[in-house]
């Protein structure tokens, strides 16, 4: 029997493939990642990757879900005073990113979304359907889709500026200092009163 050097799937194979894909997206972006390379990094046959995930889009979606773990995150974020939710959300995202000099897989996801439309669409869909919208609807707030989009725009902008562009003031600021500036804006998007449009003056 011919040996390929690749091991068969086990109970942890799916998680190992997702971890290998997350590392590849972080290092090479969406366009620089291939199913074959992910399989090689995970030590499995490419056919096994396709059997688990089907294609690159499904694999990327699995990485996004694994990084955010939305159901667990929502429970964690709701465990505390409503008035400090913005600060907890920012802390959660910063914890996913890790140290500014050694960022975690979330930065790879954001970079992929910034350079590839398929990745961007998947991130938008995830934020709209599986994370921020669910969080805001659980709070019973109005305009959940708009609030979620505004919140996401603030978080994604911070991530790119601090970790990808590496603007010096953002890099130098610690998590607490960032929270002092950014959390009130997130809080307003999440739970603030919706602005009322005034009739035009005559």
């Amino acid at each position: 029997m011919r040996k390929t050097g690749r091991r068969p799937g086990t109970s942890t194979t799916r998680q190992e493939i997702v971890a290998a894909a997350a590392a590849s997206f972080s290092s090479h972006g969406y366009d620089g990642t291939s199913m074959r390379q992910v399989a090689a990094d995970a030590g499995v046959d490419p056919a096994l990757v396709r059997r688990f995930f089907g294609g690159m889009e499904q694999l990327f979606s699995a990485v996004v879900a694994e990084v955010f773990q939305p159901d667990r995150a929502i429970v964690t974020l709701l465990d505390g005073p409503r008035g400090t939710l913005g600060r907890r959300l920012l802390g959660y995202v910063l914890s996913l990113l890790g140290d500014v000099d050694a960022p975690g897989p979330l930065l790879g996801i954001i970079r992929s979304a910034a350079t590839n439309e398929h990745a961007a669409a998947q991130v938008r869909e995830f934020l709209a359907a599986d994370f921020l919208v669910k969080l805001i609807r659980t709070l019973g707030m109005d305009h959940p889709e708009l609030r979620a989009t505004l919140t996401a725009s603030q978080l994604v902008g911070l991530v790119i500026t601090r970790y990808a562009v590496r603007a010096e003031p953002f890099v130098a600021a610690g998590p607490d200092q960032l929270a002092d500036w950014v959390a009130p804006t997130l809080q307003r998007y999440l739970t603030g009163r919706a602005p009322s449009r005034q009739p035009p003056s005559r």
Side-chain angles (χ1 to χ4, degrees), residues 5 10 16 19 38 69 72 88 93 126 130-131 150 180 196:
T10 68
E16 290 166 357
V38 169
Q69 298 189 21
R72 181 184 301 178
R88 291 196 301 280
V93 171
F126 172 81
D130 293 322
F131 186 35
L150 290 167
D180 290 341
S196 57

Side-chain angles (χ1 to χ4, degrees), residues 2-88:
R2 183 172 61 92
K3 294 183 178 179
T4 64
R6 294 163 176 159
R7 58 185 174 78
T10 68
S11 60
T12 62
T13 298
R14 189 181 189 281
Q15 291 79 6
E16 290 166 357
I17 293 171
V18 169
S24 184
F25 288 130
S26 294
S27 299
H28 309 297
Y30 189 95
D31 293 324
T33 296
S34 70
M35 301 284 279
R36 184 172 296 278
Q37 185 58 52
V38 169
D41 292 343
V44 300
D45 193 280
L48 193 59
V49 180
R50 289 191 292 272
R51 188 179 66 158
F52 274 120
F53 300 100
M56 183 64 71
E57 292 185 11
Q58 293 90 336
L59 180 58
F60 184 77
S61 294
V63 171
V64 173
E66 178 64 24
V67 169
F68 277 97
Q69 298 189 21
D71 292 337
R72 181 184 301 178
I74 289 172
V75 172
T76 300
L77 291 170
L78 292 175
D79 185 18
R82 187 185 183 100
T84 57
L85 176 59
R87 197 175 191 98
R88 291 196 301 280

